[in-house]
Amino acid sequence: MGPTGTGKAQFVDSITNDNREGVGHDLTSFTSDVKATKLKSKEFSVVLLDTPGFNDTKKSDLDILNLISELAER
């Protein structure tokens, strides 16, 4: 989680070698939903969450927290 435009989607993509639908390159919102990506190795398994940024240009911070909360309840 973090502010819009800080590279959250780019970080997840680089760690997982996943070239999803793209990432934003400025302070305009690009990620619109929370996306979970599972990363597995022999030693561990971790789920990386890509979230819309706080101070999003399309959603309020409360809307973003609700999206994250809904995913965590699953």
Side-chain angles (χ1 to χ4, degrees):
M1 296 187 315
T4 294
T6 58
K8 296 176 299 297
Q10 187 173 6
F11 172 77
V12 172
D13 286 357
S14 67
I15 294 294
T16 60
N17 292 319
D18 185 7
N19 293 320
R20 294 176 288 160
E21 59 275 356
V23 297
H25 296 285
D26 56 28
L27 295 178
T28 303
S29 301
F30 186 86
T31 303
S32 60
D33 292 310
V34 177
K35 179 176 179 188
T37 302
K38 188 177 265 187
L39 182 63
K40 295 182 192 179
S41 77
K42 292 179 183 178
E43 294 85 30
F44 64 90
S45 178
V46 66
V47 177
L48 301 173
L49 297 179
D50 183 17
T51 66
F54 294 115
N55 297 322
D56 188 89
T57 56
K58 299 174 186 158
K59 292 184 170 128
S60 72
D61 288 351
L62 182 59
D63 290 339
I64 293 165
L65 288 171
N66 284 332
L67 287 171
I68 296 166
S69 175
E70 289 169 10
L71 182 70
E73 290 176 352
R74 291 191 225 160

